[in-house]
Amino acid sequence: MLNHLTRWVDRNILSLGREMRLSYLPPLMVYLAYGISGLTGIVGTFFVKDYLGLSASFLAALGFWAGIPWALKMPIGHAVDLLWRWKSWLVGLGAALLALSLGIMAALIGNREAMTAVLPAETWYVLSVLLAPIGYVIQDAVADAMTVEAVPTVDEQGRPFAEQTRKLMHTTMQTLGRVAIIGGGILVALINVYVFTGVEGLPQADIARLYYRVYLMAMVIPVVSVLGVWVAWHLRRRQLHQLMGQGFSRDEARSMTDARESSEAAEPNWWILGGSLVFVVFTLAAGFSRLDYSEEIVFLGSMGIVLFLMIKLVRELDADKRATLVGTAVVVFIFRAIPGTGAGTTWWMIDELKFDQQFLSVLSLIGSTLTLAGLFIFRRFMAERSIAYVVGFLTAVGTLLSLPVVSMYYGLHEWTARMTGGIVDARFIALIDTALESPLGQISMIPMLAWIANSAPANLKATFFAVMASFTNLALSLSQLGTQYLNDIFVVTREVRDQASGALQTPADYSQLGSLLIVQLALGLALPFAAIAFAKITRFKSA
């Protein structure tokens, strides 16, 4: 038994460390920057709840608009392919947008009067929320393509790697990418736990100063991503000199260190670029027109444009790979389109269950740590199972693990506390539920990313990554729309008071939250299995 466990640990965990290569580091640093972006998550939640009068439905709608830049990842990815030699400037542009977004929030908290003299606090918040994803999507498109560049085609002596070895390296690279994102989440959760220690009972002014410090610390995020590009340049230069020292010419060494040197240069796809221009103009026009159902109009138009561009692009694949890509995309799309419950659930936990900033930070720490462990535990599971199987597994287990939150709304924690002398209370249940649910969060995307990295044409890797990202990120936009609909039907409000006078503007009302939780749970179970059934009974299939 012990030998079996030792072999399993070696095969699923230790082997990943042995397979780590220095060349993987640059994209991992960009992914790490995205991971540590969660540093401001808890602060943002409490800031919106305590200082802004935005409804749960409005926040869901804002989430929809914030997701639109991710739907533009297709043209951005294609631009990365076309401008690959200048990728460092693209990362720098993304870093500048992130710094501006974080700076707005820091100034809004640290010098609210001066900021609100120019624009209302809600407007500054919306601007910050919309700027951040633009920066992240630019950097993410570059990082996705850098993962392909990071996997070497030859060993130290210039000998090509076998196809199976390269496939394993791509899977390892994509797994380490998720590890970097989650590792960043663990780091910021630890910081939040430290920062918010003893926050209960502090005056509101002192809490605001803590929020301000967190946003200033977050300024390290754009710095880390820019450092990743510098490391990539340094490593490639070193490898180039090593190969030239072994007798290879400069051109031969360059073709060995960058697959793009030995493949045809990417040609502009005017369908993608032109269609994307239409997409941007269409989205901006609908957004500024203030039409009724503007979100729905933008989503349907965006989906039509993205599907049109996808049809043009997948012609680069043979028939079998094309069917696999379509089937995989449908399953992942539906899985990611499941609507959430919105901000009301967190407000209820804060107001009714008395979860404070530090406890939510502890939950985040447990969640991130166990998610990282889950990547190691389920690594072989992801490599050996189809995406349809993985999604079905995640759906079934995720539904079971959502039941405790629903049950707590109806008093489960009160009953368990009475039965156990106060030991199994709301916090205990939340800790256990988070511990069980966390390892499942980052699993579904890894097999698909590895399949694209291994199967897409060499000169269009970033474009194919971006195609799937645009399509599946539109699923997140649909999820936000669904969340908005649910919050329009089941209205959940927290107490809102005027910041100047303290007068009550909106009373807290969580009476409809139970129905919201149940409906969301049912949708989360039914929709993914419907997508899996589609993939099984049609000519399409999943990777």
Side-chain angles (χ1 to χ4, degrees), residues 350-370:
I350 294 169
D351 287 343
E352 301 297 324
L353 302 184
K354 306 305 179 186
F355 290 179
D356 58 18
Q357 294 93 329
Q358 187 190 30
F359 182 70
L360 290 178
S361 299
V362 170
L363 288 181
S364 176
L365 175 60
I366 293 172
S368 297
T369 302
L370 293 178

Side-chain angles (χ1 to χ4, degrees), residues 87-328:
K87 61 181 178 293
S88 58
W89 292 99
L90 294 174
V91 173
L93 173 62
L97 292 172
L98 293 177
L100 180 58
S101 172
L102 294 168
I104 288 173
M105 288 303 298
L108 186 58
I109 296 172
N111 199 353
R112 183 184 177 94
E113 291 184 1
M115 295 291 283
T116 53
V118 179
L119 290 171
E122 288 79 6
T123 302
W124 281 118
Y125 175 75
V126 169
L127 180 60
S128 174
V129 169
L130 295 179
L131 281 174
I134 300 174
Y136 283 124
V137 73
I138 293 172
Q139 293 194 340
D140 193 63
V142 177
D144 285 343
M146 287 173 69
T147 62
V148 181
E149 183 185 56
V151 174
T153 57
V154 297
D155 61 18
E156 290 79 1
Q157 284 73 45
R159 295 172 300 197
F161 285 109
E163 178 68 18
Q164 187 61 33
T165 301
R166 280 180 54 77
K167 181 178 180 181
L168 177 61
M169 287 193 290
H170 278 300
T171 302
T172 299
M173 178 70 254
Q174 297 303 328
T175 303
L176 287 171
R178 303 310 103 185
V179 168
I181 293 173
I182 300 163
I186 294 173
L187 178 62
V188 300
L190 284 168
I191 293 173
N192 276 324
V193 169
Y194 171 76
V195 168
F196 292 120
T197 298
V199 70
E200 189 174 0
L202 281 179
Q204 198 64 37
D206 290 343
I207 294 175
R209 278 193 287 273
L210 287 178
Y211 293 168
Y212 178 68
R213 283 172 52 196
V214 169
Y215 272 101
L216 290 183
M217 286 189 287
M219 288 294 185
V220 74
I221 296 170
V223 176
V224 172
S225 59
V226 172
L227 282 176
V229 176
W230 179 83
V231 172
W233 173 83
H234 176 73
L235 291 177
R236 184 164 181 260
R237 185 182 179 194
R238 190 181 71 170
Q239 186 184 15
L240 195 67
H241 289 159
Q242 286 177 344
L243 291 171
M244 290 172 63
Q246 295 178 22
F248 293 101
S249 68
R250 186 175 186 84
D251 288 341
E252 289 173 332
R254 290 181 64 182
S255 67
M256 292 176 184
T257 56
D258 187 352
R260 293 170 184 266
E261 294 289 340
S262 58
S263 61
E264 296 180 6
E267 294 292 331
N269 187 320
W270 296 111
W271 286 108
I272 290 179
L273 297 177
S276 300
L277 179 60
V278 173
F279 177 94
V280 172
V281 173
F282 175 79
T283 300
L284 292 176
F288 286 109
S289 66
R290 298 188 178 182
L291 293 172
D292 292 336
Y293 305 107
S294 59
E295 289 92 350
E296 290 82 356
I297 293 170
V298 168
F299 174 77
L300 292 175
S302 303
M303 179 61 78
I305 294 169
V306 170
L307 287 176
F308 173 76
L309 296 176
M310 283 181 66
I311 291 170
K312 292 290 183 181
L313 186 64
V314 297
R315 290 176 181 173
E316 301 286 339
L317 300 173
D318 60 45
D320 186 63
K321 288 182 177 179
R322 191 182 308 136
T324 299
L325 182 64
V326 171
T328 298

